[in-house]
Amino acid sequence: MARFKDYFFGKLISAVDCYDKQPYRDWRTDFVGKEGLIILYESEHKAPGKVFFHMLVGVGGWMHCTVGDWEPGGEKDTIITRNSIYTFSRQHNLNKEEKRILLEQAAASGRMPGDNK
């Protein structure tokens, strides 16, 4: 079970392997450089205090991440999991309508409470 923690609009800057610090060459590359809605959840049972995220880009484009440590940093946020490091920028070019659509999609999917921010 997880508890909704926060969300923000931003861009996935990088997704790298924790061990060799090299960018992934798999499905994650489809999300690097993309702007969207990043939704953070806090684990309550399996890994209390750890955070995981969902990222929504465009219509139905979901990225899911396993639990890790969230390091908010103002303009950049980092989530470090057992195997990966994800870096996000809170800077984006999404307009008001694109933000509204992403929030509606997330709420309709049940991944985010509809009455937040």
Side-chain angles (χ1 to χ4, degrees), residues 4 6 38 41 53 61 70 81 87 96:
F4 174 81
D6 199 3
I38 296 92
Y41 294 92
F53 73 90
W70 176 38
T81 68
T87 304
K96 188 175 181 177

Side-chain angles (χ1 to χ4, degrees), residues 3-55:
R3 178 176 62 84
F4 174 81
K5 184 168 182 73
D6 199 3
Y7 76 87
F8 60 92
F9 295 97
K11 179 178 7 179
L12 180 60
I13 297 171
S14 65
V16 300
D17 183 281
C18 273
Y19 303 103
D20 64 12
K21 306 294 189 259
Q22 294 299 308
Y24 283 105
R25 294 177 185 211
D26 59 11
W27 58 270
R28 294 169 186 89
T29 60
D30 294 341
F31 291 88
V32 174
K34 298 285 175 84
E35 298 176 333
L37 172 65
I38 296 92
I39 307 169
L40 302 171
Y41 294 92
E42 185 173 342
S43 176
E44 294 182 301
H45 301 292
K46 273 189 159 181
K50 299 286 185 179
V51 171
F52 65 95
F53 73 90
H54 295 287
M55 181 177 182

Side-chain angles (χ1 to χ4, degrees), residues 78-103:
T78 304
I79 296 178
I80 301 171
T81 68
R82 182 175 49 174
N83 297 311
S84 306
I85 302 170
Y86 299 93
T87 304
F88 298 92
S89 167
R90 291 189 181 228
Q91 295 180 352
H92 57 80
N93 295 308
L94 297 167
N95 64 41
K96 188 175 181 177
E97 180 65 9
E98 290 169 320
K99 290 179 184 179
R100 183 191 63 75
I101 290 169
L102 289 171
L103 286 169

Side-chain angles (χ1 to χ4, degrees), residues 31 36-37 54-64 102 105 111:
F31 291 88
L37 172 65
H54 295 287
M55 181 177 182
L56 174 60
V57 295
V59 178
W62 284 100
M63 176 182 184
H64 310 281
L102 289 171
Q105 288 177 357
R111 292 198 168 103

